[in-house]
């Protein structure tokens, strides 16, 4: 990333170089490669994944303001141009050029691509998602990993969703017994080609799970019931626990970390007034409604915040049960519960915390969020991830606000004499790329 005005404070040259060095983005999603209407663009900027209320705009948010300030110059505009001017320029350049500029300027060396299996045949289709969201996540309108890497001048590696593997097994298994073996085989096939496994069970049933492994008999009985309705979303507590522990076993065998969504998801879970449809899909106004990254899985109408936005605290028992196995656990999307996540990373040797998506959303408040993470979590336990999704602006801003936030936090420590310049360089290198290269074996 170029240094022009990016870093908000004066820093020693070596620290500036470390902050501006290429990053490993441990948590990103596909971005659209088609031209977007203003309504669609604003929806993709929003955590809620819904239009702004009548008479308002999602540009009047921290991330919307940041787009006008920081993304506009990358597209050849002055900072702070009106939204209409920004979107007109975006349309003039076309999605291909916009993606090339914004992803290239983000300064990413490697994207760990969430949802890689949608593009290489491992996942079949996206049954169960509503039509609009399918395009946002894995349809033909989304850049495949190779093209996203090419646009950003970066390498790509895959992260696979364990819930999608389970859904495929549920469609093909012939008995409760075969379900167990097929699930282990499916996850192993994905793990061979991935750098990490990932669960979004937080948005399926919450993280209030019994941490114990379920018995084989209980799993067979639950799987037999599941196979009677294989197209429904997985919400059965026994099968969710079995899926998590099967993923732990596979992760241990192949040396892979296990990622968990734990905080406030994008697309916001169920909308207010939603009720639970079949399989736990939130139904609003007679149609299924999409939740976080396709996990339209609010149960009994409970929506974020609440059980599904409770942060990582409810899964502490499970995390502690995994510790003897030795599988690294990476807590993603922790904001606004990042202090709890940072605390867990500080007291449990196998826990790591995501640094990134919270910074994008907090924008100019990123230095305060970064300072809190540095206060609680060991520096070798923090990893940058943009959480970018939908539009390239989110990837670009994720990297920019991470650098700006960390720069402010490092400058304060240098000014107070708490750290030396070499300390600051080492921390910037660890969080920006070194920690990810170590635990993902890049």
């Amino acid at each position: 990333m170029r240094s022009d005005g990016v870093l908000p404070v004066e820093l020693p040259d070596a620290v500036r170089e470390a902050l501006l060095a290429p990053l490993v983005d441990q948590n990103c999603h596909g971005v659209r490669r088609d031209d977007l209407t203003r309504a669609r663009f604003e929806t993709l900027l929003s955590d809620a994944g819904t239009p702004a209320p009548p008479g308002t705009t999602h540009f009047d948010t921290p991330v919307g303001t940041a787009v006008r300030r920081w993304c506009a110059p990358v597209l050849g505009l002055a900072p702070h141009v009106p939204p209409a001017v920004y979107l007109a320029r975006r349309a003039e350049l076309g999605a291909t050029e916009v993606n090339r500029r914004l992803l290239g300027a983000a300064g990413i060396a490697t994207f760990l691509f969430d949802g890689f299996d949608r593009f290489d045949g491992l996942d079949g289709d996206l049954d169960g998602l509503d039509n609009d969201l399918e395009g946002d996540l894995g349809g033909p309108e989304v850049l495949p990993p190779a093209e996203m890497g090419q646009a950003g001048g970066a390498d790509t590696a895959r992260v696979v969703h364990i819930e999608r593997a389970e859904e495929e097994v549920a469609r093909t298994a012939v008995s409760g017994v075969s379900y167990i073996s097929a699930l282990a085989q499916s996850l192993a096939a994905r793990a061979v080609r991935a750098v990490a496994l990932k669960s979004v069970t937080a948005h399926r049933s919450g993280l209030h799970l019994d941490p114990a492994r379920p018995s084989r008999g209980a799993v067979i009985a639950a799987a037999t019931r599941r196979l009677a309705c294989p197209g429904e979303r997985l919400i059965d507590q026994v099968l969710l626990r079995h899926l998590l522990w099967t993923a732990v076993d596979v992760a241990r065998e192949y040396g892979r970390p296990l990622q968990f969504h734990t905080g406030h998801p994008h697309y916001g879970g169920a909308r207010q007034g939603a009720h639970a449809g079949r399989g736990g899909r939130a139904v609003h106004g007679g149609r299924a409604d999409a939740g976080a990254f396709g996990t339209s899985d609010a149960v009994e109408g409970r929506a974020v915040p609440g059980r599904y936005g409770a942060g990582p605290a409810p899964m502490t028992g499970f995390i502690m049960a995994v510790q003897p196995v030795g599988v690294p656990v990476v807590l993603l999307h922790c904001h606004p519960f990042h202090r709890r996540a940072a605390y867990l990373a500080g007291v449990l040797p196998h826990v790591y915390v995501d640094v990134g998506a919270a910074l994008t959303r907090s924008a100019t408040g990123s230095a305060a969020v970064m300072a809190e993470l540095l206060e609680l979590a060991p520096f070798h336990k923090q990893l940058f991830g943009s959480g970018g999704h939908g539009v390239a602006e989110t990837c670009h801003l994720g990297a920019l606000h991470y650098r700006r936030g960390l720069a402010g936090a490092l400058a304060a420590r240098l000014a107070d004499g708490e750290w030396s310049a070499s300390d600051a360089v080492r921390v910037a290198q660890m969080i920006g790329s070194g920690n990810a290269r170590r635990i993902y074996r890049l």
Side-chain angles (χ1 to χ4, degrees):
M1 177 172 280
R2 294 178 58 186
S3 62
D4 302 351
V6 169
L7 302 183
V9 290
E10 291 296 324
L11 291 164
D13 289 345
V15 179
R16 293 179 62 84
E17 290 175 8
L19 285 167
L20 295 170
L23 305 170
V24 173
D25 186 348
Q26 66 139 5
N27 179 229
C28 73
H29 308 259
V31 300
R32 298 280 292 243
R33 61 179 173 185
D34 56 332
D35 294 322
L36 301 170
T37 64
R38 173 165 180 163
R40 198 63 173 152
F41 180 84
E42 288 200 29
T43 297
L44 290 171
L45 281 185
S46 165
D47 280 330
T50 58
T56 69
T57 171
H58 285 313
F59 276 99
D60 288 336
T61 61
V63 67
T65 304
V67 165
R68 294 171 45 239
R69 167 58 184 94
W70 296 107
C71 298
V74 180
L75 303 190
L77 297 170
H80 309 299
V81 294
V85 174
Y86 180 85
L87 292 171
R89 177 59 171 168
R90 205 180 193 279
E92 177 187 3
L93 291 173
T96 298
E97 178 64 11
V98 168
N99 290 338
R100 186 191 69 79
R101 291 193 185 195
L102 290 170
L103 294 176
I108 305 295
T110 304
F111 291 109
L112 304 195
F113 200 98
D114 184 345
F116 217 125
D117 44 352
R118 303 187 201 102
F119 296 93
D120 60 10
L122 279 174
D123 202 40
D125 56 26
L126 294 177
D127 289 344
L129 301 182
D130 79 10
N131 291 333
D132 288 341
L133 192 66
E134 181 172 344
D136 292 341
L137 297 180
E141 298 86 1
V142 174
L143 278 179
E147 292 184 27
M148 186 165 170
Q150 184 177 13
D155 296 328
T156 56
R158 72 188 67 219
V159 175
V160 294
H161 276 214
I162 63 174
E163 286 81 8
R164 291 199 187 97
E166 190 281 335
E167 288 164 2
E168 181 180 296
V169 169
R171 290 195 296 266
T172 58
V174 297
S175 69
V177 174
S178 67
Y179 172 95
I180 293 176
S181 58
L183 180 61
Q185 292 167 6
S186 179
L187 289 177
R190 285 165 163 79
V192 168
R193 307 172 67 183
V195 297
L197 303 178
K198 176 178 179 178
S199 172
V200 292
T201 192
H203 314 315
R204 299 279 172 117
S205 67
L207 293 171
H208 296 262
L209 294 172
D210 180 349
R213 290 177 184 262
S215 68
R216 179 177 173 85
V219 173
I220 291 173
T224 301
R225 294 191 297 270
R226 169 96 168 119
L227 299 184
C229 300
E232 295 187 349
R233 294 270 180 179
L234 177 62
I235 59 172
D236 183 277
Q237 296 289 297
V238 170
L239 293 185
L240 282 168
R241 288 161 53 205
H242 174 68
L243 173 61
L244 292 178
W245 279 109
T246 302
V248 168
D249 293 338
V250 170
R252 175 182 58 186
E253 180 178 357
Y254 290 94
R256 305 292 189 255
L258 184 56
Q259 299 180 341
F260 285 91
H261 272 229
T262 62
H264 184 77
H266 300 291
Y267 299 107
R271 295 180 193 173
Q272 293 295 329
H275 64 277
R278 293 187 62 201
R281 299 196 71 201
V283 177
H284 189 280
R287 71 172 182 84
D289 196 19
F293 294 116
T295 58
S296 51
D297 305 304
V299 180
E300 299 174 358
R302 290 188 289 270
V304 174
R307 184 175 182 182
Y308 300 94
M315 68 179 300
T316 301
F318 176 80
I319 293 173
M320 293 179 68
V322 172
Q323 181 179 341
V325 181
V327 170
V329 171
V330 183
L331 305 178
L332 300 176
H333 294 285
C334 303
H335 191 261
F337 309 101
H338 53 282
R339 290 185 65 87
R340 168 62 66 173
Y343 171 77
L344 291 174
V347 299
L348 296 173
H350 64 305
V351 177
Y352 295 77
V353 62
D354 175 59
V355 175
L359 307 183
T360 306
R361 298 296 154 182
S362 56
T364 55
S366 58
V369 175
M370 195 70 238
E372 291 183 325
L373 292 168
L374 291 174
E375 172 190 337
L376 291 168
F379 313 135
H380 58 271
K381 295 291 202 72
Q382 302 182 44
L383 305 107
F384 164 72
S386 71
H389 66 285
V391 290
E393 282 84 350
T394 59
C395 295
H396 183 82
L397 292 174
L400 182 138
H401 285 300
Y402 159 73
R403 289 183 169 103
R404 288 177 62 81
L406 184 55
L410 294 181
R413 285 158 173 76
L414 290 170
D416 289 343
E418 293 183 14
W419 290 10
S420 69
S422 61
D423 291 331
V425 167
R426 188 170 66 256
V427 169
Q429 292 172 339
M430 282 192 288
I431 301 176
S433 62
N435 294 339
R437 294 189 185 281
R438 173 168 49 84
I439 74 162
Y440 295 113
R441 304 183 182 186
L442 301 176

